[in-house]
Amino acid sequence: MTSFGYQILGFGSGVSTADVTATITWLIVAGGGGAGGYQTGGQGAGGYRTNAGSEGNTLTSGATYNVVVGAGGPGLVATAVGQIGADSSVIGTGFSVTSNGGGIGTYSGPTAWRIGGSGAGGSSRSGVTTGGASTAITAITTETTSVQGYAGGNGSAGNSGAGGGGASAVGANGSSSAGGAGGNGLSNSITGSAVTYAGGGGGFGFSGRSIAAGAGGSGGGGAGSNDPGSGAAGADPPEAGTDGLGGGSGGMPDNGYQEGTAGGDGVVFLRMSDAAAAGGTITSATSTTADVGGSGETVIKFLADGSFVAGSY
């Protein structure tokens, strides 16, 4: 695996351009939601979109494909509202795709504050227990995902927060015995190995009432915090979402002394034939390239904004 800032790719030499299928397969995961606010559910995972399993989008020689990698929403003090994760996208000739950042929970704000790639779990506060929705998408022709994420679960009034939605499932509802678990993410083998992305954060619980915090969803979701009760200081902070997976952070308790934690940063993958990659140029300070063993293909991983300029094949 090679890291570079600006480089004309040189692997795949010796592969006849006559053998090249000039198509591109992509996976685009946005940043997860970050925690903040009293008694909130788990935060939503970043949106997950892919054309893996299709014949791919056709590359246009000489075209630039601009890549944006969304950061996770920052964690804020309990008296502030958390922040939605940032969008990730690939925009270029032939296709433009955006995955939306993960939604966030709030104990008193409007429903719109909870909408994201996946929705955040509902609060334990009466009147705001309903989980947030996920953002609808209009799938492009080659896309194999019909939704980019799922809604958050419903909180249990006076008891616990719900789990945030993930790429494959709605967050679990909170109850009088446990915070809701985050919705699980989706597995994808674009790199040649199966990895799960975009898990929702778990809802908070009350240790003083024997209510367990919710677990994070598979794919980088953070577990919720556990409040010792009576607004006491010293509760463990919720777990952050995992960077590079777009996981949502765990939910916040009724505790004004701790800070929330951030959602996980997103990631973008582009996969194409070795020869197509060798003929192109990438700009990014944090990109990596790797052969996908035995497939005759190369995958380019972006952890920060960059671009790919398609060469002649």
Side-chain angles (χ1 to χ4, degrees):
M1 186 171 286
T2 305
S3 297
F4 51 90
Y6 179 90
Q7 185 170 340
I8 298 175
L9 304 183
F11 45 82
S13 59
V15 178
S16 169
T17 56
D19 297 329
V20 173
T21 300
T23 60
I24 187 168
T25 301
W26 41 267
L27 169 62
I28 304 170
V29 181
Y38 291 111
Q39 298 186 13
T40 56
Q43 316 310 306
Y48 171 108
R49 300 182 69 176
T50 186
N51 69 344
S54 73
E55 295 183 358
N57 290 95
T58 301
L59 285 168
T60 300
S61 182
T64 298
Y65 295 87
N66 291 308
V67 174
V68 172
V69 179
L76 301 174
V77 296
T79 53
V81 174
Q83 293 191 21
I84 288 176
D87 296 348
S88 292
S89 61
V90 178
I91 297 176
T93 303
F95 69 100
S96 297
V97 183
T98 298
S99 293
N100 298 127
I104 55 94
T106 172
Y107 67 93
S108 62
T111 301
W113 287 356
R114 299 200 293 270
I115 293 175
S118 281
S123 172
S124 70
R125 296 243 172 175
S126 296
V128 288
T129 55
T130 302
S134 60
T135 309
I137 61 169
T138 301
I140 68 172
T141 302
T142 62
E143 187 169 355
T144 51
T145 42
S146 58
V147 296
Q148 63 176 328
Y150 287 83
N154 297 328
S156 176
N159 291 305
S160 60
S168 73
V170 173
N173 294 337
S175 71
S176 60
S177 61
N184 288 332
L186 275 173
S187 177
N188 192 295
S189 298
I190 195 168
T191 63
S193 300
V195 176
T196 301
Y197 301 90
F204 81 95
F206 281 103
S207 61
R209 302 182 199 170
S210 298
I211 301 175
S218 63
S225 178
N226 209 309
D227 190 336
S230 301
D236 293 333
E239 288 184 349
T242 302
D243 288 341
L245 299 180
S249 68
M252 289 282 285
D254 188 0
N255 189 307
Y257 298 94
Q258 69 184 103
E259 291 190 9
T261 45
D265 295 344
V267 65
V268 171
F269 293 97
L270 304 178
R271 178 169 166 167
M272 66 201 74
S273 68
D274 288 342
T281 305
I282 301 173
T283 58
S284 178
T286 61
S287 296
T288 58
T289 62
D291 286 313
V292 182
S295 70
E297 294 184 313
T298 293
V299 65
I300 307 167
K301 178 180 181 180
F302 289 87
L303 290 172
D305 299 354
S307 65
F308 174 73
V309 180
S312 299
Y313 324 118

